[in-house]
Amino acid sequence: AALGEALVAQGKLDAAIQRLTAVIQADPRLPYAYYWRGQAYHRRKQIARMVDDYRAFLRLAPDAPEAPALQALLGSLQ
């Protein structure tokens, strides 16, 4: 997931999505893989996929520091 985070930071969104999807397939219990893939989808304006990943992140890590901001974002989309 750390490599996916770095790829998102570098703007290599396709590579990040591909890497993070592989991480999630290997272990779907890693919340930050969903978070960073959601970030990549957000930058690509793929909102439905972003929402799915952010919801998965919040299910797995409801007390994460990022949770309040994501909850507010998701609430604003409804």
Side-chain angles (χ1 to χ4, degrees):
L3 176 57
E5 176 184 355
L7 291 168
V8 171
Q10 295 170 8
K12 297 178 180 177
L13 302 179
D14 290 336
I17 290 168
Q18 186 176 27
R19 170 62 68 172
L20 291 163
T21 298
V23 168
I24 290 166
Q25 288 172 345
D27 187 352
R29 297 167 296 155
L30 297 172
Y32 281 94
Y34 292 98
Y35 176 81
W36 287 108
R37 190 173 71 174
Q39 290 284 312
Y41 284 137
H42 189 184
R43 289 188 184 186
R44 290 184 69 190
K45 308 219 183 308
Q46 293 180 307
I47 303 305
R49 289 180 172 180
M50 174 201 78
V51 167
D52 289 343
D53 278 352
Y54 284 168
R55 285 183 178 154
F57 172 79
L58 290 171
R59 275 193 306 276
L60 293 168
D63 297 324
E66 299 86 356
L70 291 183
Q71 290 167 338
L73 173 66
L74 293 174
S76 73
L77 295 174
Q78 295 178 0

